[in-house]
Amino acid sequence: MKWQGKTVGYALSGSHCTFAEVMPVIKRFVDEGANVVPIASQTLMTTDTRFGTSEDWQRQLKSITGNELISTIVEAEPLGPSKLLDVLVIAPCTGNTTSKLANAMTDSAVLMAAKAQMRNQRPLVLAISTNDGLGLNAANIAKLLVCKNVYFVPFGQDNPLQKPNSLVAKMDLVPEACEAALKGQQLQPLLIERTQS
């Protein structure tokens, strides 16, 4: 299988409306042979929303991956020295996470995992989901676009008329973006037309 023998870190930050969209992506990695290590943001671990409860999302992640969630900085820190992850993807990657990553802030399990991956000069793949991608966060996305070993899942405007600053990655391209990243390549085209979901 395509991902046999590979360990994929799959981190989710707090874009709750996107969780249902990425669960099949995580399952695809597992079905194709990957060992998927789930990494959860504090908001996933503590917040119930109209899109589902924290407990349900945690249960789904454990069920799909067969692994316990990494949800604290202390749990994520060993990812650096162990060099466990062949590739780390943050999907969805919120504007908050994007901003902190671009400015070297490490205050969550997701950001600690990203820091560990960058320390090891291994690929980090970002699937952005942010309402201010063409607003204040545009500068942070630009910083990360030119950062070594950082790659993006192709993204576009999801609702240009009502939310002109909003950018969302095409989540079903996460595995392809990770595969390209392992070869040191950015999946193209990077900027896509994304219809409203």
Side-chain angles (χ1 to χ4, degrees), residues 58-77:
Q58 291 179 52
R59 186 169 47 246
Q60 283 190 55
L61 284 167
K62 290 177 189 177
S63 174
I64 293 169
T65 65
N67 288 320
E68 291 296 317
L69 275 65
I70 291 175
S71 61
T72 68
I73 292 174
V74 172
E75 292 168 346
E77 192 278 333

Side-chain angles (χ1 to χ4, degrees), residues 7 30 41 45 48 55 57 59 63 65 73 83 114 118 144 151 162 171-172 175 189 197:
T7 298
V30 173
S41 68
M45 297 299 292
D48 297 340
E55 185 179 348
W57 293 123
R59 186 169 47 246
S63 174
T65 65
I73 292 174
K83 299 186 178 179
M118 294 172 81
L144 292 167
Y151 304 90
Q162 294 177 323
M171 297 299 170
D172 60 355
S197 48

Side-chain angles (χ1 to χ4, degrees), residues 125-156:
V125 178
L126 308 177
I128 57 172
S129 179
T130 173
N131 284 327
D132 69 342
L134 292 177
L136 287 174
N137 242 321
N140 296 314
I141 292 170
K143 283 174 74 172
L144 292 167
L145 279 169
V146 297
C147 191
K148 187 177 180 182
N149 299 317
V150 176
Y151 304 90
F152 281 78
V153 177
F155 59 85

Side-chain angles (χ1 to χ4, degrees), residues 23-119:
M23 292 299 158
V25 175
I26 299 170
K27 187 174 187 305
R28 182 177 157 195
F29 276 117
V30 173
D31 289 346
E32 293 182 359
N35 173 36
V36 177
V37 177
I39 303 160
S41 68
Q42 184 179 7
T43 53
L44 186 151
M45 297 299 292
T46 60
T47 309
D48 297 340
T49 72
R50 63 190 171 99
F51 300 104
T53 66
S54 167
E55 185 179 348
D56 184 53
W57 293 123
Q58 291 179 52
R59 186 169 47 246
Q60 283 190 55
L61 284 167
K62 290 177 189 177
S63 174
I64 293 169
T65 65
N67 288 320
E68 291 296 317
L69 275 65
I70 291 175
S71 61
T72 68
I73 292 174
V74 172
E75 292 168 346
E77 192 278 333
L79 293 172
S82 69
K83 299 186 178 179
L84 177 67
L85 307 179
D86 294 293
V87 61
L88 170 63
V89 58
I90 305 176
C93 182
T94 62
N96 188 50
T97 298
T98 302
S99 173
K100 290 180 178 182
L101 184 61
N103 290 285
M105 295 176 67
T106 308
D107 64 356
S108 70
V110 171
L111 290 163
M112 177 56 80
K115 179 181 178 180
Q117 191 74 351
M118 294 172 81
R119 156 192 163 160

